[in-house]
Structure formats: C-alpha cells, structure tokens
Amino acid sequence: MLLPVPPVIRKNAVVIAPRFVGRVAERSRLHELAAEAVGGRGRMAFIAGEAGTGKTALIEAFAAELRAADDEIVVATGNCNSQGGIGDAFLPFRELLAALVGLDDEGVGKESRGNHDRGRLRRFFDSSAKVLFELGPDLIGAIIPGAALAARLGQAVVEETGWFGRLLEGDGGRGSATIDQHRVFEQYSNVVRSLAEERPLVLVVDDLQWADDASVGLLFHLSRRLEASRVLLVSTYRPDELALWSAGGRNSLEKVLGEIKRYSGDVTINLAAVSSAERRAFVDAYLDTEPNELDEEFRQQLFARTDGHPLFTVELLRTMQERGHLVKDVAGRWIAAALDWALLPARVEGVIEERIARLDEPQREMLDVASVEGISFTAEVVGALLGRPMLGVLRTLDRQLDRAHRLVHERGELSVPNGTLAVYQFSHALFQRYLYDDLGNAQRRLLHGEIARRLGELHGERAHELAGTLAWHYDEAHRPDEAVANYLRAGERAIGQGAPDDARRMLTRALELAADDDGDLQRRILTARAEAVRLLGDVDARRNDLAALLRLAERSGDELGLATAHVAQANYWSDLGDQLTSRRTADRAIAHARAAGDHALLADCLGLLAQACIRTGDVEAGREAVRGALAALEHTDDPAIRQAVLRRAWVFHFEAGEIARSLELAEQTVAEANRLPRHARAVPASNLGLNHLALGQYERARVSLEEACAHSLASGYRRALGYGEQNLALVTLLLGDLPQAEHLARHSLAELDEIGDAFGAAGGRMYLGHVLDADGRWDEAATHYAAAEAAFTAAGALGLAAESRAGAGRCALRLGQFGSARTAADEVWAYLSANGGIGTDQPATMYLTCAEILAAVGEPAPAGEIIAAGARQLRVRADSINDPAARASFLDAVAAHRNLLRLAAERETSSATATAKIR
C-alpha cells in the first residue's frame, strides 16, 4: 500500500519535519516505488538535481518514513567519491554490501539501529554472511575484506562453520588474480536477490555522477536482474557534473541512464523540474516549520535571493539568525529585526564563505585537513596531522562543527588492523570543495602526502584495499614512486575485482609516472594493463602493450622476460585466429624458455605450437610439440599452466581425429580446471561437449555445452561464451531446434566479432551457414560460408576453410549453380585426398557433399570413390575408440556417419553384384 507522506502545514504550525519539508510529490513517487518493490516487483529510481537541491535530504526523509512504517525494511547506503578522478572500483557497492553483512552498521541507518529490534537486524546480518559465502564467494576479498568479515562474525562462528581458511584465502588469494567483471555482477545480484527474500531492501547510491565505470556496469546489470525481487534501488546524481564528466570521456553513466530509461521507462525524479510556484512553496514551508511573524515582503525578498534553492535558503536563514537579523519575540516567534538585505550575500559562494568565516582558527585548521582527505574523512588522520589529542578532536567535531555549525556529521566507525577509526562526512560537498580550493598549492601537496602516509599506517595489512585512494594522494603530493606502487597495486586489484576499465586508467597513470630506467616495474605495469585490455576486448591496445613488453625484454636481454613476452604475443595471435604468426612466435618463445630453463613456460609455449601446427596442417610437427609439452608439464603443478597445456593438447588430438585420446584429455582438463576460478572451467567444459558431439551423444553434449555457457556468463568470459554458443548451436541443430540454433549461432557471431576474435567469428559464420543451409535459406547460407572460408584461409586454418567451401558448394548445388558446385567439390576433394579429415569439424559431411555434387553433375564413378575413401577414414577413427558403446554411437548415432557407411555398403554390394554377373 502507499505509505503516508506528512502534509505540508502552513504558518505557526507544529514542526513536522525539522530538517526536511516539501517535495510531497517526489516522496509520494518514491513510496509508490517502494510499495511495488515490497510486493516483489523490483524497482529503480534516479533522483537528479544540482548541488544543494536536497537530493540527500529527500532520501533521508524517505528512509525515515519507510522505517517508521515498516521495521522489516532494511535501508543501506553507498557513496561515490569525487576525489582523485580515477575510479575506486565498486566503491558504493562495496559500502552497500558491507552494510548488508553488518560490517558497517551506519550504512543501514541510525534509525534502524536505535529504534527497531536490534536482535532482528543482527539475525539478518548473520544470515546475510551465510548467503555471501554460498552465492558470492568471489566477492570476499574482491568486494568485502575477508579479515573484516571474520572479525565481525567472531572466532567461534568462523571456527564452527569452517569459514576461516576461506576468508583468509579470499583476502590473500584474489587480490590480484583475475576475476571477470560479469562474475562479480552475477554473484552480487544473486546475493542481493537472496537477501531480499528475507527482508525488503532499499539500496541507495549517493552522488552517482562520480561512480567508477565498474559501479556503473554493476548498476546496469542490477537494473536487469532485480525485476522480480523485493528491492528498490535509488540513486542520486548531479546532471551538471555528469555532463562535465561525460564530455571528458570519463563516465559511462549517461549511456546507461539512457538504456535504463529505454528499458524501464522514465524512472527519474528531477528536482530541478519544479515550477517557480513550487519553489516559493518550499520557502514558505521551510519558514513555517517554526512559529514566526515573517510577512510576505520578507518571503518575497528571501525567494528573490535564493530562487527557492534548498541549500541557499537554509544557509541564508542561518546567516540571518547568527547576525541578529532574525530574532525571537517574547512569544518565541521569529521576527525580522534591523534587517538590511544589502548586507547579505547574494550568491551561494558568499553564503558558504560567510559560514566558514565564523569558525575559529583551530576549527578551520581541522576542516582544512579534512577537506584534503575528501568528503568523508577520519578523525584520527586529522588529529595526527595537527598533533592534537583525539578526545579534543572528537569533541570539536561533535559539539562545534556538527551540532553548532552543522558543517559535518558522524558517519560511523571503521575497524582496521591497528584500531578503530571515527569516520565523518561534510554535510555538503560544496563546503568541502570551498575549503579545499581555498588552500595554497604547497599546503595541499604536503597534506596529501601526509594523509596518504597516515592512512597507510592506520590500515596496516589492509592498506591494499585503499590503494587507489593512496595512489591519488601520493600523486597529488608529487611523490611518483609511492604513487606508482599504489596505482599498480590498485590496478591489479581492479582486474581481480572484475573492473578492467578502472584498472586500465590506473595502470596508464602508473606507466606515465614510472621511471624510464626501471624496466622491471614497467614490465609489471604493462603485463597488468595488457590483461586489462584483453578482458576489455581492445585488440589494438593489447597489441601495443605486448609490443612494448617485447621491446623492454629485448633491451634487457633477459631470457625469461623474452620467453614471457613472446608467449604472450603467441597467445594474442592465436586469439585472433592467425595461426601462422602464432606458430612463428611460439617457436621464438620456446627457444627463450629453454634457454631460461623454465619448464612451465616451455610447456605453455609447446602447447601453443601444437595448436598452431594442427590448424595449419602440419600434423607431425604438432605431434612432436604435444609430446614435448606434456613432458615439460610433469615438472610443474601450476593448475593454470596445466589446464592450458592439456587444453591445447586436446585441440591437437581432437582436430587430428583421435577421438578417444581427445576425450581423455578433455576429462583431465576439466579436472584441472576445477582447481581454478570459474572462468577457467568454461573452455574445458565446451571441449568435453564437442567430444560428446563427435560421438553422437547429443544430450550429453548439450549438458556440457550449457554448463560451459553458464561458466562463461557467470565469469564474463566473452570469448569462451562465443565458442560455447556456436558449439551449442550445432548440437541444437542436430536435435532439430532450428530457431534456437539460429539464435545461438547469431549471438556467438556477434560476441566474437565484437571482441575481435577473427578465428572464432569465422567459426560462428560457418555454424550459422549450417543452420541456414538446413533451413533451406541457401543464398544467405552461401554468403556466410564464403566469409568463413576467407577468414579461415587468412588465418591458415586450411581444414576449416575447406569445410566452409564444402558448405558453399552444397548451397550452390541446391540453387542449381552446377559449375560453382563442381569447382567447390574439386577443391574440397583435393584437401581430403591430401589430409583426410584432419583440421575439420565434420569430415564425413564433407565427403558426402563432394560425392553428392559429382553424382548430380553426372560423374557417379568418382562419387563412388569419394564415398569409399570417406568410409575408410571413418572406420580408422572408429577403431581408435575402445569403448564399444561409444564406438557404436559414433558410427550409428551421427547421421552423416550412418549415411556414409550405408552408401559405401551399397556401393560394395553393387560392385559385388556386377562382378558376379561378369563371372
């Protein structure tokens, strides 16, 4: 039901909202959305308005009204940060999740802590920690610090549940490891949805215009995933600030807001879109929150100077009270006394300046230091830098700067390894900005450096969690060495958090500041940035970073560095589908890895070489490389290297037609991948699905491939998703669902095209051709087959190029283009004669296509020879399968295999009959 909104009461009324009045329509709209969310229809709202228009005050009033009406609702808030200009990955959503699991009680609001059932909220926190472990394990360490969560739960609970090791592993093991962004998104969504089943949630993101790109991405993801949950997600932002950031190309929020509006309708509450009459009504309502005898002339003059702007109105009235322009009469009513409007500041800058001017020197010094730390600041840092006792600092903040001057307010306490910090916040960003801008450059520089040093000391072993903040402070302090170290740490952490955009920005700044003669540091930065841009699918940026890495390695002459740089480039060319260049680069990497004596790196290089060899038709060289890779693999237990090498060995044996051996390797790879993060399990599951597909075990193939796609989606591994979907498209086609097969094939093609994977996109085009061919849309199919053939040829994948050519020939035959069909059949038969089915997906179909075309153009004898050759190849492959059931499925369940053997048998019978007649 609609929650009640207190009415605006006019003149001399009892105070109904001491710190908030008006905005009745806006509050009513928020309550409507909240009622829908409580009913299980998740909603979003954006509150837009310039600085001082009352966005935060509106949210606070709305939250207080919600809690008063329903003590089951949990309201949590996360704040974005304007300081630094470089995104602090997931900052507001880290604060939100911390509040929901009880790491930051302040985040759920003082009202819920003080006026409602504290035990009930505690039980919610305990269950939310359990949900976090079950549905968001990768968020621990990446989003929520494991050590802090362990401290909150208590030793007894942690030991009883056996979570201690997992908590420490989360903090230590994932700080720099890659966690794909989509995985973070999915797990965060799942945790929030599950928590909302227990208690309705109102999640508030304040100052969204300063959000990092990772947070904007998560916001968009939540907008699609929370529709059927008891969640209201409210965000505030400043359109003017957003326009500035967007113009600089540094904020993706504008695009996301447009997408959400297109998808969800207009969910924006614009505080600037109010009439002059409404703004004047606010002035009257605010004046009338206390008894007064202020006449119409006074109200008009006040409105003329503030235009009904909430912050300006409130601050100007405070100035008038403190100057004695407004006083109380004997009845306790405010009246105007000795009023001279000319003496009052005409603009908000003047109002703020006058407010700050009322501070004494110690108070001003305290806020100067605080302004450099940011909108939120820590009392301990301020006290340490000013050399003042903490008790005095806290008294000044609480009694004077908060209660008397209303310039700051307490946010709560933060537990850190070296104690507990008292966190405060400026009551408005305009106050913090005024103080910061009023400092001299030298003062700011020194304060930034000291604040960074002190923050690092206070956070101790958890200083890595605020590496981005420390980096910015050191950068502003003109201390490049410390700035670079922290930008690098923050960038690596952002990759681990699934925030590659933010990682790239921080790593780029680190590279700009890094000393020219520190090659090791530059290598580490470039390696991290290359990983970030790989995840982003930025092919050009990745190529440039890898080239820079190679130049650094060549300059130093270090064999291990050269091997690492070359294998990274070989991987790059392999990802692009350029197998010829990948092979040449892998050869160079192998030489350097052998010179360095690094077995793990050697195994990785040889695996890449084997994959490139089979795809370029050099079977013997590939077989030798596989043997060498597996031998080198015996000297390393690194699960990431092991699964990568086994996966490439699988490629060789599968594409060589050695089904049984490839199945063994697929199962080994899946076992190795289970020791790794989820994104590493996608490709092995997809490869296992291909083995089942080759054996005609279509249902088992579908299950494996759907599992591969689920891993890819959950981890944001777009390349693996593309491959998994195109393989699933083929299975779906063979199971008879053409519409779904086409959908999967087209999505795979779009995904791989967008990230620049030419080899994968070629596969997508070939598989889409298969679907369109089966559906009788031969013109369109032929176009895709031709594009696939060209791409495979350019990549050196001659077997797949021939398979695409066979598809084009089939379409030409169906369209009555017999000359083109005959040419295609000759070219495909030439490849099959020289190579058999090596390097192809469905060789039996290729043999059948050639035979069908030759028979159609009146050449039955060559057609019969092709059928016989295909059957011989098929039996050779079948003989390598030891399991009788798998062998039978391979020969009988695959329609192309069954038809090829049937035609071969008919030919043999016909030949035997003819021979008998002659005799």
Side-chain angles (χ1 to χ4, degrees):
M1 61 183 291
L2 184 63
L3 296 171
V5 177
V8 175
I9 301 177
R10 286 284 302 177
K11 199 161 176 117
N12 298 331
V14 176
V15 176
I16 59 166
R19 301 187 65 180
F20 188 84
V21 296
R23 303 294 189 193
V24 176
E26 291 83 355
R27 288 148 74 191
S28 294
R29 177 58 179 150
L30 286 172
H31 283 298
E32 289 172 1
L33 293 170
E36 291 178 15
V38 169
R41 292 172 293 167
R43 290 291 181 260
M44 295 191 73
F46 295 93
I47 301 175
E50 296 180 359
T53 52
K55 300 181 297 299
T56 303
L58 172 61
I59 287 291
E60 289 174 351
F62 165 61
E65 292 160 4
L66 278 180
R67 295 189 187 101
D70 185 351
D71 61 6
E72 282 294 305
I73 290 178
V74 173
V75 183
T77 302
N79 297 274
C80 303
N81 188 359
S82 66
Q83 294 287 74
I86 293 182
D88 189 357
F90 297 111
L91 174 61
F93 291 101
R94 295 205 317 261
E95 292 188 356
L96 280 171
L97 193 56
L100 293 176
V101 299
L103 292 186
D104 176 15
D105 287 1
E106 181 69 19
V108 298
K110 293 182 179 179
E111 291 85 351
S112 61
R113 291 189 297 126
N115 298 337
H116 298 294
D117 183 351
R118 179 62 178 163
R120 182 181 297 165
L121 200 56
R122 174 70 195 193
R123 289 192 296 274
F124 174 74
F125 288 154
D126 289 343
S127 64
S128 65
K130 183 174 184 291
V131 168
L132 180 62
F133 272 96
E134 292 177 350
L135 301 181
D138 294 314
L139 304 180
I140 301 171
I143 302 295
I144 289 291
L149 189 57
R152 207 278 293 161
L153 291 170
Q155 184 176 355
V157 174
V158 171
E159 289 178 354
E160 180 184 349
T161 56
W163 289 344
F164 186 74
R166 293 169 62 190
L167 285 167
L168 294 186
E169 178 188 354
D171 269 355
R174 294 191 178 99
S176 60
T178 298
I179 297 177
D180 291 301
Q181 193 174 80
H182 199 281
R183 190 156 111 215
V184 174
F185 291 178
E186 276 296 296
Q187 292 190 17
Y188 199 104
S189 300
N190 292 338
V191 167
V192 170
R193 286 164 60 91
S194 181
L195 295 180
E197 291 176 5
E198 182 172 345
R199 297 183 67 169
L201 303 179
V202 175
L203 306 180
V204 179
V205 178
D206 208 5
D207 284 323
L208 188 62
Q209 74 280 352
W210 293 326
D212 57 281
D213 283 346
S215 294
V216 173
L218 178 52
L219 178 81
F220 181 66
H221 185 83
L222 290 171
S223 75
R224 299 298 180 91
R225 296 282 283 117
L226 299 180
E227 286 182 326
S229 58
R230 299 196 300 168
V231 178
L232 171 61
L233 179 55
V234 185
S235 304
T236 73
Y237 72 94
R238 302 182 193 174
D240 52 335
E241 291 270 2
L242 175 60
L244 288 174
W245 280 60
S246 298
R250 297 171 60 194
N251 195 292
S252 56
L253 178 58
E254 200 164 39
K255 179 180 177 182
V256 165
L257 290 175
E259 282 294 307
I260 292 174
K261 182 176 180 179
R262 183 175 64 83
Y263 184 77
S264 304
D266 191 359
V267 290
T268 300
I269 298 172
N270 191 347
L271 300 189
V274 293
S275 66
S276 177
E278 289 174 300
R279 294 196 302 277
R280 168 59 197 269
F282 164 78
V283 171
D284 288 332
Y286 188 80
L287 288 172
D288 292 337
T289 57
E290 295 187 38
N292 68 83
E293 289 294 333
L294 301 173
D295 59 19
E296 181 62 21
E297 181 183 356
F298 177 91
R299 293 166 187 264
Q300 288 180 359
Q301 289 284 358
L302 181 62
F303 179 65
R305 279 159 176 76
T306 66
D307 196 32
H309 189 287
L311 178 67
F312 300 175
T313 301
V314 171
E315 294 305 324
L316 189 54
L317 284 170
R318 283 180 181 160
T319 298
M320 296 170 74
Q321 288 172 341
E322 292 174 5
R323 284 188 176 188
H325 295 174
L326 291 179
V327 297
K328 285 187 177 181
D329 63 15
V330 291
R333 294 171 298 195
W334 287 104
I335 60 173
L339 186 60
D340 186 350
W341 290 102
L343 297 177
L344 292 169
R347 297 177 57 81
V348 69
E349 293 87 349
V351 174
I352 293 172
E353 183 177 0
E354 187 144 329
R355 285 288 306 283
I356 301 300
R358 292 196 290 270
L359 302 176
D360 62 28
E361 190 62 26
Q363 294 167 351
R364 175 63 186 264
E365 286 178 348
M366 193 174 289
L367 290 189
D368 282 344
V369 173
S371 75
V372 178
E373 188 175 349
I375 293 175
S376 293
F377 60 92
T378 48
E380 286 73 12
V381 169
V382 173
L385 266 60
L386 293 175
R388 297 179 188 173
M390 275 306 301
L391 185 57
V393 169
L394 293 172
R395 282 178 175 171
T396 300
L397 288 169
D398 290 333
R399 296 180 181 179
Q400 299 171 19
L401 295 173
D402 184 354
R403 297 175 196 171
H405 294 286
R406 303 288 181 89
L407 291 170
V408 302
H409 63 268
E410 185 182 5
R411 281 196 60 193
E413 293 186 331
L414 175 66
S415 296
V416 295
N418 295 332
T420 301
L421 305 181
V423 181
Y424 286 78
Q425 182 170 317
F426 282 93
S427 58
H428 202 281
L430 290 174
F431 297 138
Q432 181 265 338
R433 194 73 231 179
Y434 175 86
L435 289 159
Y436 184 80
D437 290 342
D438 201 43
L439 292 171
N441 291 333
Q443 231 182 328
R444 283 202 296 260
R445 175 171 52 79
L446 290 172
L447 285 171
H448 276 297
E450 287 302 300
I451 286 170
R453 180 186 62 80
R454 187 58 183 161
L455 282 172
E457 291 173 354
L458 289 169
H459 284 76
E461 63 191 27
R462 283 171 52 192
H464 64 278
E465 295 173 12
L466 64 155
T469 299
L470 297 179
W472 178 74
H473 280 302
Y474 279 125
D475 199 350
E476 292 296 309
H478 300 177
R479 292 166 61 174
D481 291 347
E482 292 99 326
V484 169
N486 280 284
Y487 276 132
L488 174 56
R489 189 178 297 115
E492 290 174 335
R493 181 172 168 79
I495 292 173
Q497 292 172 315
D501 264 321
D502 299 298
R504 172 160 63 176
R505 277 195 292 272
M506 287 183 280
L507 293 165
T508 297
R509 183 56 181 160
L511 201 60
E512 291 169 353
L513 294 173
D516 292 338
D517 58 352
D518 195 340
D520 289 339
L521 180 60
Q522 290 183 12
R523 270 196 293 273
R524 187 175 165 191
I525 296 169
L526 282 167
T527 299
R529 192 171 70 173
E531 174 66 6
V533 296
R534 181 186 74 82
L535 294 172
L536 290 167
D538 191 332
V539 175
D540 292 338
R542 184 182 175 195
R543 182 179 62 249
N544 293 337
D545 280 352
L546 294 179
L549 270 174
L550 183 57
R551 288 194 297 271
L552 284 172
E554 288 171 343
R555 192 184 309 158
S556 69
D558 174 58
E559 292 290 352
L560 185 60
L562 285 164
T564 302
H566 281 299
V567 78
Q569 290 208 327
N571 261 306
Y572 167 79
W573 292 115
S574 179
D575 285 351
L576 289 184
D578 188 341
Q579 304 302 328
L580 295 172
T581 306
S582 179
R583 178 176 179 175
R584 290 194 297 270
T585 311
D587 279 330
R588 291 193 288 271
I590 289 165
H592 292 298
R594 283 188 170 132
D598 190 297
H599 292 288
L601 197 55
L602 178 61
D604 200 16
C605 300
L606 287 166
L608 271 168
L609 178 62
Q611 179 174 292
C613 285
I614 190 66
R615 286 179 172 166
T616 54
D618 194 341
V619 181
E620 290 311 311
R623 195 175 301 281
E624 182 181 351
V626 165
R627 291 194 194 102
L630 295 177
L633 200 61
E634 294 177 3
H635 299 281
T636 180
D637 192 43
D638 184 329
I641 293 290
R642 291 186 64 81
Q643 75 89 22
V645 173
L646 289 170
R647 179 163 46 84
R648 289 169 183 142
W650 174 88
V651 170
F652 173 84
H653 288 287
F654 184 80
E655 295 190 7
E658 298 164 6
I659 305 298
R661 178 57 178 149
S662 68
L663 180 58
E664 291 174 9
L665 287 165
E667 290 170 342
Q668 289 179 43
T669 310
V670 167
E672 289 289 346
N674 285 336
R675 301 165 58 192
L676 297 167
R678 190 171 184 181
H679 73 274
R681 304 173 202 167
V683 174
S686 183
N687 292 346
L688 183 60
L690 279 179
N691 271 111
H692 292 311
L693 173 61
L695 291 169
Q697 300 167 342
Y698 297 141
E699 281 300 331
R700 293 180 67 182
R702 181 182 59 77
V703 170
S704 289
L705 289 167
E706 286 179 348
E707 181 183 348
C709 291
H711 287 317
S712 303
L713 275 171
S715 60
Y717 193 173
R718 298 179 64 187
R719 186 168 184 265
L721 178 61
Y723 280 82
E725 284 186 330
Q726 66 184 225
N727 297 332
L728 187 57
L730 185 55
V731 171
T732 307
L733 172 64
L734 294 170
L735 288 171
D737 189 346
L738 264 68
Q740 178 65 4
E742 181 175 352
H743 169 75
L744 288 164
R746 290 191 185 278
H747 193 273
S748 162
L749 176 56
E751 192 80 6
L752 293 166
D753 255 340
E754 188 173 337
I755 66 172
D757 186 337
F759 183 81
R765 288 184 172 84
M766 183 174 76
Y767 281 30
L768 181 55
H770 292 340
V771 175
L772 297 170
D773 183 2
D775 199 33
R777 292 145 67 183
W778 298 307
D779 275 324
E780 191 178 352
T783 300
H784 287 289
Y785 279 135
E789 180 189 359
F792 281 135
T793 301
L798 302 182
L800 294 172
E803 188 167 350
S804 301
R805 187 77 174 114
R810 234 178 3 259
C811 292
L813 179 65
R814 305 285 187 269
L815 293 167
Q817 300 165 356
F818 297 106
S820 297
R822 172 59 192 271
T823 300
D826 288 343
E827 292 172 354
V828 174
W829 174 232
Y831 178 85
L832 292 171
S833 299
N835 302 284
I838 288 172
T840 67
D841 282 349
Q842 301 179 82
T845 303
M846 297 169 68
Y847 282 104
L848 288 169
T849 296
C850 290
E852 182 184 4
I853 291 172
L854 291 176
V857 297
E859 299 186 36
E865 293 174 8
I866 291 172
I867 291 294
R872 285 194 299 273
Q873 285 282 339
L874 185 60
R875 292 187 185 106
V876 169
R877 292 193 175 202
D879 288 342
S880 71
I881 304 172
N882 298 323
D883 179 26
R887 186 175 186 274
S889 176
F890 176 76
L891 292 173
D892 188 56
V894 180
H897 297 174
R898 189 171 62 246
N899 291 338
L900 188 58
L901 292 176
R902 177 181 57 77
L903 291 172
E906 290 174 358
R907 180 177 182 275
E908 290 168 3
T909 301
S910 174
S911 176
T913 302
T915 301
K917 286 181 178 179
I918 292 172
R919 289 177 179 171

